[in-house]
Amino acid sequence: MEAHGDERLWLPAAPTAARMARAFVRRRWSHLENAATIDDVALCVSELVTNALDHAAPPFSLRISRRTALLRVEVDDGSAQKPVLRPISPSSPRGRGMFLVSQTATAWGVAPAAVGKTVWAEFETNGFG
């Protein structure tokens, strides 16, 4: 598969991290993919970063890479605790993040890292770029 470079963004342990991550996705990758796919990727990145901020420990980072037919995002954090895909409840104001990722991404998962874990999501692409 043809690679279009991996890029990494270190994220602060602050509420602005999800916004920074979405902006990074759009700034770096919008020219390589259609708007609908980038919207899905930005949504999932926002949810993965927010989940890390809420339930894990620093350091936090986002990596994104593009192959000919696949866009992959990875969020690293300092906790070994895996994210939980919970049933959604209409009355709950929170807790839908991993459900949204599971419904939007082509695939997602968790891999252990030297420190903490990597939560990743992949998206089929149209092969632009």
Side-chain angles (χ1 to χ4, degrees):
M1 289 199 275
E2 182 183 350
H4 290 281
D6 294 357
E7 296 194 42
R8 181 182 213 131
L9 174 67
W10 291 97
L11 297 164
T16 58
R19 180 173 35 89
M20 290 172 60
R22 286 190 308 273
F24 179 75
V25 166
R26 292 188 186 286
R27 185 174 60 250
R28 301 289 194 183
W29 297 92
S30 291
H31 67 286
L32 293 175
E33 193 52 57
N34 68 57
T37 299
I38 292 300
D39 287 347
D40 288 347
V41 173
L43 171 67
C44 287
V45 161
S46 185
E47 295 300 335
L48 292 175
V49 169
T50 299
N51 198 58
L53 290 169
D54 286 351
H55 302 289
F60 302 112
S61 70
L62 166 67
R63 275 188 315 279
I64 186 165
S65 60
R66 180 134 182 326
R67 308 296 185 265
T68 300
L70 192 69
L71 188 77
R72 181 178 174 110
V73 296
E74 299 176 343
V75 174
D76 296 324
D77 65 55
S79 170
Q81 181 181 354
K82 293 181 179 180
V84 177
L85 179 59
R86 297 187 252 176
I88 60 170
S89 166
S91 62
S92 176
R94 299 194 51 161
R96 294 177 180 84
M98 294 313 298
F99 175 78
L100 289 171
V101 171
S102 74
Q103 297 299 301
T104 307
T106 303
W108 75 277
V110 182
V115 175
K117 67 181 171 299
T118 299
V119 183
W120 57 268
E122 295 177 333
F123 303 83
E124 290 180 4
T125 69
N126 60 21
F128 290 175

